Amino acid sequence: MASSCTVAIAIVLFLLSFTTPLFLAKPLHHSHHPRFASHNYRDALVKSILYFEGQRSGKLPSSQRITWRKDSGLSDGKSMGVDLVGGYYDAGDNVKFGFPMAFTTTMLSWSVIEFGGLMKGELNNAKEAIGWATEYLLKATAHPDTIYVQVGDAGKDHSCWERPEDMDTPRSVFKIDKNTPGTEVAAETAAALAAASLVFRKCNPSYSKLLLKRAIRVFAFADKYRGSYSNSGLRKVVCPYYCSVSGYEDELLWGAAWLHRATRSPSYLNYIQRNGQTLGAAETDNTFGWDNKHVGARILLSKAFLVQKLQTLHDYKSHADNYICSLIPGTPASQAQYTPGGLLFKMDDSNMQYVTSTSFLLVTYAKYLTSARMVVKCGGVVITPKKLRNVAKKQVDYLLGDNPLKMSYMVGYGARYPQRIHHRGSSLPSVATHPAKIQCRSGFSVMGSQAPNPNVLVGAVVGGPDEHDRFPDERQDYEQSEPATYINAPLVGTLTYLAHSFGQL
């Protein structure tokens, strides 16, 4: 693959394959380290990246480590005369949704950009995970002023419970173009390509240039032909699954911020200065996830002021500080809700995505503040970078098992974790154990059963407990039991930071 970066790392991993597999490694104890880690963050990191291999669509490589998955979706795009083989299934179904896939790619890339230098042997695996997505995004953006944003009819897909390897539902292809704009998905795709170009800049310069060139073209398209894909002819296709509620302004600011970081071109800085306020730079909607990028853009742009000393972006430090003050308990502006067990709680459906993305922003902003020797002031309360890191660590520790149920919400990590995740491939017998096709409807008998999933989707983080710390572990409960790529992506960066800070990497 074009993303493969270093032969040296591959050789090391090959040699390691003859010893204990990385994802079965025993907890590491570094007695020389002054602080005690209650969790093996390195083990969780390895698994959080491994998970993406279980979500792959297309022709799987010989290096595939989640071996119960096989090739799938090998004719994707054919009906439209394009090659759309590859990419990721976003969650527990078999549809390829471009909007969350692009956000996943941006967040995986940001994780590597900020913390990849600490990843050691996992860096190559993280780059492979990003490359699997960028190869697909390059195919989806191959034609100017056109982006293929979805493969699969979600309604028909959801009427079946079948393995991706058995798919017989329509692989309908949906696109945005000049006449059917989709600014939010286009701008997020530009952000993903720009962020990934930074990941590959040193190890694969020609691939990096290709990604950046495409990002520039895609962003220009996003900006010129403005309109929400949720309000276009695609409304019935993308809603209610990945409807854009926050509009497209946040993605334009976010996309411009990533292009500014990747190109250092004054044109993007001018764009941000001219349009920042109208694109919602000072918005107080403090949810960061696949739909809303305002907070992420603020943190990202604050780096340009804090670290690169770009004075014209000084407002983004105060915008970022306002977000922090809304989040930290005990500050005058605090609005965040926490469960009795201490988990940040924002939404009933897949709340863990909010937890992982927020934790990533906390450790990343702490990094920028430390570099600039600055703090956050919330009224009379001073919030230090250390405090931000502690809040993030508490959230990750809860996710990994420090919670009222003493359950890890990452599959395959710890002694107790969800057994019945809402995921077709994990819940049905693998092709190896059951070679015969499992028909569309017959899988529902498994979906409704209490039997544990036969295939362990190692590293998958599920939607998580409710506001009272309850988690039923039922397959039908997709709000709490479904994993998703955009839950895992920001967690990769936070786990890297924690593993390194406790001497595990």
Side-chain angles (χ1 to χ4, degrees), residues 38-39 55 83 131 134 164 169 189 198 203 240 260 401 404 410 423 455:
S38 54
H39 287 284
Q55 295 302 112
D83 173 11
T134 53
T169 50
T189 302
L198 289 164
C203 63
H260 172 249
M410 177 186 282
H423 189 279
N455 309 307

Side-chain angles (χ1 to χ4, degrees), residues 99 102-108 110 184-192 194-195 219 248-261 268 271-272 276 279 281 288-301 316 360-361 368:
F99 194 24
F103 177 69
T104 293
T105 311
T106 311
M107 293 310 297
L108 266 177
W110 199 3
E184 59 277 89
V185 66
E188 182 61 68
T189 302
F219 184 78
Y248 57 73
E249 291 81 4
D250 53 314
E251 277 83 19
L252 283 174
L253 184 61
W254 172 244
W258 274 111
L259 276 156
H260 172 249
R261 185 148 174 189
Y268 294 107
Y271 181 95
I272 292 158
L279 296 179
F288 180 54
W290 61 262
D291 182 27
N292 195 330
K293 321 294 159 48
H294 278 132
V295 182
R298 270 175 252 166
I299 299 282
L300 186 63
L301 289 168
Y316 288 92
F360 176 83
L361 292 183
Y368 301 164

Side-chain angles (χ1 to χ4, degrees), residues 283-486:
E283 290 279 344
T284 54
D285 48 350
N286 290 326
T287 309
F288 180 54
W290 61 262
D291 182 27
N292 195 330
K293 321 294 159 48
H294 278 132
V295 182
R298 270 175 252 166
I299 299 282
L300 186 63
L301 289 168
S302 72
K303 182 186 181 186
F305 167 68
L306 288 167
V307 183
Q308 282 125 19
K309 310 297 184 209
L310 273 176
Q311 297 305 318
T312 51
L313 295 177
H314 69 275
D315 282 356
Y316 288 92
K317 160 80 163 71
S318 53
H319 296 326
D321 286 356
N322 291 341
Y323 163 65
I324 296 298
C325 295
S326 78
L327 203 60
I328 306 296
T331 62
S334 178
Q335 304 163 345
Q337 181 188 341
Y338 290 80
T339 68
L343 185 71
L344 261 169
F345 195 85
K346 190 89 173 182
M347 53 190 89
D348 292 322
D349 185 357
S350 188
N351 179 64
M352 213 51 102
Q353 65 173 295
Y354 170 66
V355 174
T356 60
S357 58
T358 303
S359 300
F360 176 83
L361 292 183
L362 288 171
V363 292
T364 301
Y365 197 46
K367 182 185 169 186
Y368 301 164
L369 289 168
T370 301
S371 176
R373 296 189 173 153
M374 292 183 90
V375 293
V376 177
K377 289 181 178 143
C378 304
V381 183
V382 174
I383 307 292
T384 62
K386 185 181 178 185
K387 172 71 174 170
L388 300 187
R389 291 182 181 117
N390 285 341
V391 172
K393 178 183 178 295
K394 261 206 167 114
Q395 294 306 304
V396 173
D397 287 349
Y398 182 110
L399 187 157
L400 294 177
D402 294 1
N403 55 60
L405 294 181
K406 300 283 178 270
M407 172 182 266
S408 157
Y409 291 104
M410 177 186 282
V411 174
Y413 176 88
R416 185 167 182 235
Y417 52 82
Q419 300 294 314
R420 288 172 283 277
I421 65 171
H422 182 94
H423 189 279
R424 286 157 176 75
S426 170
S427 68
L428 293 163
S430 69
V431 174
T433 59
H434 189 291
K437 182 181 167 73
I438 298 172
Q439 297 295 332
C440 160
R441 306 290 304 175
S442 58
F444 280 110
S445 60
V446 170
M447 196 268 217
S449 83
Q450 283 299 302
N453 288 10
N455 309 307
V456 181
L457 185 57
V458 174
V461 179
V462 296
D466 66 12
E467 69 269 36
H468 305 293
D469 300 297
R470 295 176 303 206
F471 181 78
D473 194 11
E474 286 172 0
R475 214 173 276 113
Q476 296 98 315
D477 184 357
Y478 64 87
E479 293 189 343
Q480 290 180 259
S481 293
E482 189 168 18
T485 56
Y486 46 85

Side-chain angles (χ1 to χ4, degrees), residues 20-29 40 42-43:
T20 311
L22 278 174
F23 45 91
L24 299 177
K26 291 184 171 65
L28 299 173
H29 299 291
N40 186 342
R42 176 183 173 273
D43 182 49

Side-chain angles (χ1 to χ4, degrees), residues 135-212:
E135 288 293 288
Y136 177 82
L137 294 177
L138 286 171
K139 291 178 178 183
T141 57
H143 302 293
D145 296 341
T146 302
I147 302 177
Y148 294 96
V149 297
Q150 188 171 317
V151 180
D153 180 316
K156 291 192 169 77
D157 180 272
H158 289 191
S159 69
C160 292
W161 191 264
E162 62 184 353
R163 305 177 296 201
E165 296 83 1
D166 285 340
M167 267 188 298
D168 50 13
T169 50
R171 299 302 283 169
S172 314
V173 175
F174 303 96
K175 65 178 180 176
I176 55 170
D177 53 28
K178 295 176 188 178
N179 304 316
T180 314
T183 299
E184 59 277 89
V185 66
E188 182 61 68
T189 302
L193 292 165
S197 79
L198 289 164
V199 169
F200 297 114
R201 181 161 285 173
K202 282 184 181 160
C203 63
N204 195 336
S206 59
Y207 190 60
S208 173
K209 280 182 187 135
L210 172 65
L211 293 172
L212 188 54

